[in-house]
Amino acid sequence: ITPDPMLSIEEVGVPYEIAMNLTYPEIVTKYNIERLTYLIRNGPKNWPGAKYINYYENENKKGYTKVNISVLENSGRIDSYKLIPGMIVERHLLDGDIVLFNRQPSLHKMSMMGHRVRVLPGNTFRLQLAVVGPYNADFDGDEMNLHAPQSIQAAMEIEALCRVPFQIISPQANKPCIGIVQDSVVGSYILVRDDVLFNKGQLMNLLVWNETFDGNLPKSQGENGMW
């Protein structure tokens, strides 16, 4: 694991290689059939893509068949393959998918928390620094495990019970176990001091991360148009 201050506390950065290896079984409906068709035609080796197609051969749910998309790709039948509602596509992990993240030893319940996937380049899982406290992680070679739920029920349980925003208050001490410390606290204090001003370039670099910024700059103050 490595730190990434640009992530939300609820997000976990997942490398492309891992996102293409772990899959989530998504049931084909009339609402997602176009998107899932695109994923299977993108193949298992390109993100976002898919690895397998599962379906039952009759209405009694007997005669289960699993199709390897690599085989379809190699045989040249991938472009003509038609999805039908009710099939299950084992697709790559996508941005926003819910996963369970764990660091061992699992000493308390916050050692396993639900995160949202953010697929990123690189070779490590990425974590927001404010959320490492419950995991007792310090980026000195720590390794963590990521588990992708394999059903709607499992995904909903993680989302409703295990997500990071629901774990901020420690049940042991009844106080926050997730928050900014050290560099983040000092940096926040320095940024809001009255005598700290920014030029236009610095201001724009700060505002680009503000989701509520509407493009209108605040009135400048000080010399040379400083803010």
Side-chain angles (χ1 to χ4, degrees):
I1 57 170
T2 51
D4 190 336
M6 297 306 169
L7 293 177
S8 157
I9 62 169
E10 192 178 1
E11 290 180 312
V12 56
V14 179
Y16 283 101
E17 188 175 358
I18 294 177
M20 290 190 292
N21 190 35
L22 294 176
T23 59
Y24 177 76
E26 187 167 348
I27 301 171
V28 179
T29 68
K30 65 179 181 180
Y31 303 106
N32 64 10
I33 191 168
E34 187 174 334
R35 175 171 57 85
L36 292 178
T37 298
Y38 168 78
L39 295 182
I40 67 166
R41 291 183 179 173
N42 216 22
K45 297 179 181 178
N46 301 302
W47 185 90
K51 295 180 73 173
Y52 300 101
I53 303 167
N54 304 322
Y55 62 91
Y56 294 99
E57 294 178 353
N58 55 55
E59 295 180 358
N60 298 323
K61 293 192 174 181
K62 294 182 180 179
Y64 181 82
T65 300
K66 185 168 188 170
V67 179
N68 190 326
I69 294 176
S70 293
V71 175
L72 289 176
E73 206 171 39
N74 294 335
S75 63
R77 293 185 291 137
I78 189 71
D79 290 334
S80 60
Y81 195 89
K82 300 291 185 183
L83 290 178
I84 300 172
M87 288 180 170
I88 298 174
V89 175
E90 296 188 26
R91 60 163 175 78
H92 295 161
L93 288 186
L94 303 175
D95 289 347
D97 281 348
I98 194 80
V99 292
L100 197 63
F101 209 38
N102 163 242
R103 179 175 181 268
Q104 295 173 326
S106 303
L107 302 176
H108 56 179
K109 79 171 188 174
M110 287 90 71
S111 294
M112 300 182 75
M113 293 191 288
H115 289 258
R116 296 280 180 192
V117 168
R118 173 78 73 87
V119 182
L120 297 169
N123 297 306
T124 60
F125 290 126
R126 244 72 64 83
L127 272 180
Q128 223 283 349
L129 290 99
V131 81
V132 300
Y135 292 123
N136 196 30
D138 50 13
F139 308 113
D140 62 352
D142 294 358
E143 296 181 353
M144 293 184 66
N145 311 305
L146 185 141
H147 307 274
Q150 295 299 292
S151 69
I152 295 173
Q153 292 87 342
M156 289 302 101
E157 283 193 357
I158 295 173
E159 188 164 352
L161 300 174
C162 307
R163 278 174 48 224
V164 171
F166 300 149
Q167 312 301 327
I168 292 176
I169 303 298
S170 164
Q172 177 200 16
N174 196 34
K175 65 181 182 181
C177 61
I178 295 171
I180 60 172
V181 295
Q182 299 177 350
D183 297 11
S184 302
V185 176
V186 174
S188 300
Y189 168 72
I190 292 174
L191 280 173
V192 298
R193 286 182 55 179
D194 291 337
D195 60 341
V196 175
L197 299 175
F198 306 98
N199 59 37
K200 186 173 182 179
Q202 293 168 329
L203 181 70
M204 297 303 290
N205 283 335
L206 289 171
L207 290 176
V208 73
W209 297 103
N210 185 352
E211 295 179 359
T212 62
F213 179 51
D214 60 3
N216 295 314
L217 291 177
K219 186 177 180 180
S220 62
Q221 59 180 343
E223 299 178 359
N224 302 321
M226 301 290 280
W227 281 266

